[in-house]
Amino acid sequence: MSSETPPLFGKTRFLVGLIDEFLDKISEGVIVVEIGIKAYLTTSEGPEICLEKLNQIIEIKRSCSELRRTIVTMLYTEMLLPDARGDVLSLLGSLFELLDEMGDNFQELMIVQPRGLPEFGQDFADLTAMAIRCVQAVVVAARMFFRTPAAVRDHINEVRVFEDETDKLAWRTKRRIFATELSFEQRSQLREAVAMINSLADKAENIGDDLSIFAIKRSL
């Protein structure tokens, strides 16, 4: 931990370490899901890799859940952060929900296996990459909330830019899908797959909006 880290938790170094570990796990989960989706879209060994990544994300979610419970317990039993406790718990809860949704969406994609997807492999790859950048940006912003609150705003701006670009890619992909001769059922499945990926960026932006308010409250 940098010596410049604001003493949000005073001397409670262990709690700071737990929160860092939680954010590390969230970041790891984002990367695992990205690798899994790319494997699903592009490689001949996709099913094996996807199953491996799905098992990894399940284990990461378990670790994050345990860490969050430990953090909650410490915040209340040690009577820490009476003013910021609610914001901290809300932030950690939202990040866990985002990770959970990413894992669920990945699993749903594997189960449904939309027909016609190979034709739009590059579109989905670009969409996934941009949505992941949005999620990664909000995780960085969360780290800044605990370290350098004044820097949160810059990262939140990145989140909003990436979310806007994700929306544009989703719109273009949907237009391409519905311009094809695929059946309505196939087009609908592909549209739902686009919406699932796009929703990750939307949720990241919502977390970013909350973070902006939390950071302002910390600076008062």
Side-chain angles (χ1 to χ4, degrees):
M1 183 70 64
S2 169
S3 60
E4 298 179 358
T5 301
L8 179 60
F9 300 108
K11 297 180 179 180
T12 316
R13 300 292 183 183
F14 183 62
L15 183 58
V16 174
L18 286 177
I19 290 176
D20 265 342
E21 188 177 352
F22 176 87
L23 294 174
D24 287 344
K25 286 294 181 182
I26 296 291
S27 296
E28 182 183 351
V30 173
I31 294 170
V32 169
V33 169
E34 181 180 23
I35 293 172
I37 293 178
K38 284 183 177 179
Y40 179 85
L41 293 172
T42 62
T43 71
S44 59
E45 299 178 351
E48 292 77 14
I49 296 176
C50 286
L51 183 58
E52 175 191 337
K53 297 309 171 188
L54 180 59
N55 289 332
Q56 281 185 249
I57 196 67
I58 290 171
E59 178 59 26
I60 290 169
K61 285 164 60 175
R62 186 194 62 77
S63 296
C64 280
S65 182
E66 290 181 358
L67 282 166
R68 188 160 67 107
R69 283 196 295 269
T70 302
I71 291 167
V72 170
T73 299
M74 286 193 67
L75 283 171
Y76 280 103
T77 59
E78 302 296 331
M79 299 300 292
L80 299 171
L81 304 178
D83 297 325
R85 184 187 301 144
D87 292 344
V88 171
L89 295 178
S90 176
L91 174 59
L92 298 184
S94 295
L95 288 170
F96 181 78
E97 288 175 7
L98 177 57
L99 175 66
D100 193 38
E101 184 173 331
M102 291 183 71
D104 288 347
N105 287 354
F106 178 41
Q107 187 173 34
E108 184 71 12
L109 189 65
M110 290 175 61
I111 293 170
V112 175
Q113 298 185 11
R115 288 174 290 174
L117 187 61
E119 182 181 344
F120 301 96
Q122 189 58 54
D123 298 271
F124 274 92
D126 292 342
L127 177 65
T128 299
M130 191 59 67
I132 291 296
R133 290 182 73 181
C134 186
V135 173
Q136 289 172 331
V138 85
V139 175
V140 172
R143 287 190 189 278
M144 291 302 102
F145 172 72
F146 295 105
R147 298 180 179 183
T148 315
V152 168
R153 181 176 178 178
D154 292 336
H155 293 286
I156 295 304
N157 186 58
E158 288 184 356
V159 173
R160 290 168 179 159
V161 170
F162 292 145
E163 193 278 335
D164 185 56
E165 290 301 315
T166 304
D167 279 345
K168 291 176 182 176
L169 288 170
W171 181 76
R172 280 189 230 130
T173 303
K174 288 178 183 178
R175 285 197 62 188
R176 275 182 30 82
I177 289 169
F178 278 87
T180 67
E181 298 299 322
L182 294 171
S183 70
F184 180 76
E185 179 186 1
Q186 290 173 317
R187 285 179 288 172
S188 296
Q189 285 182 339
L190 290 169
R191 179 183 62 188
E192 289 172 5
V194 170
M196 281 195 302
I197 296 172
N198 191 32
S199 69
L200 301 177
D202 291 337
K203 192 168 186 63
E205 184 181 40
N206 291 337
I207 295 173
D209 290 342
D210 290 340
L211 258 174
S212 295
I213 296 172
F214 299 160
I216 290 172
K217 289 165 67 175
R218 272 204 64 195
S219 66
L220 295 178

